[in-house]
Amino acid sequence: MTIFSFWIFDRHCNCIYSREWTQVLNPATESSGTINAKANEDNAKLLFGVLFSLRNIARKVGDTPEQENTLNSFATAKYRAHFYESPSGLRLCILSDLETQNLQTQLRDVYSNIYVEHIVKNPLSPVDFKPGSKITNQRFIRLVDRYLGPQ
Amino acid sequence: MIQSLFILNRSGGLIYQHDLNDGLNKLSANEHLILAGTIHGVFAIASKLTPTAVKVSAQPRAQSQGSAVNGNTSGLKSIETDKFSMYIFQTLTGVKFLLVTDPAQGDLNSGCDTAENVLRKIYALYADYVMKNPFYEIDMPIRVDLFDRKIAELVKAL
Amino acid sequence: MTEITPQVNATCLDLLINEMVPLAIRTTRELKQSYEQAIESLVPQISIKDEDTGDVEILNSELLHSEDVTHKLENCGYSIGIRLSEVLIYKDSQNEILKNLELLNIMKFICRDVWRELYGKQMDNLRTNHRGTFVLIDNAFKTFQRFDSPVDLQDTIYKCKPYLWISSGIIRGVLKSFGVDSLITPEITKFPMVSFNIQTNV
């Protein structure tokens, strides 16, 4: 199983965290890939657009009076995107290879055990991000890397 | 179980929509058009989002040569939701076939292959009963009873 | 009939404590402004505007380490301390420590009973020069467990400091309830390790 990147969008539809891993670990810097890279801004918008459109289709076609339908993932021939939306409107997304089929538990874990614990319960971190501001808190980055990053 | 079938022409216009079962919400004609347009757009964007790591590792394949728009084989293929799955198959001419089914059980990749098989069969029917029909005008909505019947037979036989 | 032990949700309590410093800054700021603006009016407007929900700009206020804010927080802790020690003594009247009320025992009471009640753990170290000065050390201060500034460690420590005044006030309150006057300086030695320097012969 390979995870390529991880994204968080807040309820204002802004990307507040993006992490892309390159699979070749650079021993010198210990971490590989990019965090909140400027170059990924456009990709973030595209990804959000795709997730948002597909989620709306999912809701329109699949909602029942008793239950809302949820979008779990979409796939192309090259990768799979896993999606989780919290009831508060926070949206998390992981891009992985096609072998990785279901990351709902992992997304929920990141939300409840990392985001809620270290962003929401951390009084030094905002919970409502201004446009353009990102999560830069080191402990959060470290925990996400340890949980989702290449071993 | 197959719920419905959509066919989109190369510019994203909806030319065929048929509910084959009634497990999901009935949409209006307008909503069908919006859905088709959205999928058409998302299909292309999804391939742009391919992670750099895959681009690097993948061998240069046939699709990288030439810039034929329709040759895009890395676009959106499947969507998984709690209540349904959707599979998309684009032909080399840019026509898209969309199949909405009950949610996938078990391995998603093999589910995708099964769906693609069905979609290829539908493509064959399309070629046989729509393209070969002299009264059908290209890119216009498909109103061919024989095609409807063949699709129904195919779905029943699955 | 079974008696239900009253319980407090730890998260709610944490969030409430997290809000204490911003609240102290806001009230200080609003009070200052309303006094400046309307000295003639005898009723100052002290309602707090809902201006900065969700962000942490408030902690960048120059009031963060001001006398007023420090004083408010310390006082808050002080009243909690005075009451808390009463509750703990009542709950545990058999406590060995309380049978001999010398200063060292009172400190032990703070390290064990008070700290366990507040933070679910004991103080890790207690030092004294036997001349009325004590240093209480907690190697992993619970309030700071999730504190992490988006800027850097230095910023984290800078903004954590005011929270210590609450605990420092609590200690002063507990000591006061035993009739001991004290001067306490809290310090973040090595985040999240904290120490409280207590002088009792004041």
Side-chain angles (χ1 to χ4, degrees), chain B residues 2 5 17 29 38 54 67 76-77 80-81 89 93 102 107-108 112 138-139 154:
Chain B
I2 291 171
L5 170 70
Q17 199 283 328
T38 312
V54 194
S67 54
L76 188 65
K77 259 187 110 166
E80 309 293 336
T81 79
F89 168 68
T93 53
D102 284 351
D107 187 74
L108 296 184
C112 207
I138 293 289
D139 278 355
L154 172 74

Side-chain angles (χ1 to χ4, degrees), chain A residues 80 98-99 101, chain B residues 87 104-114:
Chain A
R80 195 184 303 281
L98 291 169
E99 297 314 307
Q101 308 222 342
Chain B
Y87 299 95
Q105 310 284 330
D107 187 74
L108 296 184
N109 293 327
S110 68
C112 207
D113 292 344
T114 320

Side-chain angles (χ1 to χ4, degrees), chain A residues 72-129:
Chain A
N72 294 330
S73 65
F74 74 83
T76 73
K78 299 279 178 67
Y79 69 94
R80 195 184 303 281
H82 308 262
F83 177 71
Y84 171 73
E85 177 172 359
S86 82
S88 56
L90 195 83
R91 296 165 179 126
L92 293 86
C93 179
I94 293 176
L95 301 195
S96 75
D97 62 355
L98 291 169
E99 297 314 307
T100 314
Q101 308 222 342
N102 194 326
L103 291 178
Q104 288 301 309
T105 345
Q106 283 80 350
L107 284 167
R108 223 162 296 187
D109 265 0
V110 171
Y111 172 65
S112 58
N113 294 336
I114 305 183
Y115 182 84
V116 171
E117 290 295 320
H118 297 280
I119 299 295
V120 179
K121 290 192 189 172
N122 174 357
L124 306 188
S125 167
V127 282
D128 207 41
F129 289 80

Side-chain angles (χ1 to χ4, degrees), chain A residues 117 122 127 130 136-137 139, chain C residues 54-55 145-148 150:
Chain A
E117 290 295 320
N122 174 357
V127 282
K130 300 232 152 40
T136 53
N137 162 346
R139 192 182 304 156
Chain C
D55 72 16
Q145 200 178 326
R146 297 193 184 84
F147 285 42
D148 190 26

Side-chain angles (χ1 to χ4, degrees), chain A residues 7 9 11 18 24 32-33 36 41 53 57 59 62 68 70 90 95 97 114 119-120 141 147 149 151:
Chain A
W7 311 73
F9 303 92
R11 57 200 171 85
S18 75
V24 200
S32 60
N36 295 328
E41 289 287 293
S53 310
I57 289 181
R59 303 265 317 258
E68 276 182 7
T70 53
L90 195 83
L95 301 195
D97 62 355
I114 305 183
I119 299 295
V120 179
I141 294 172
Y147 190 54
Q151 299 305 310

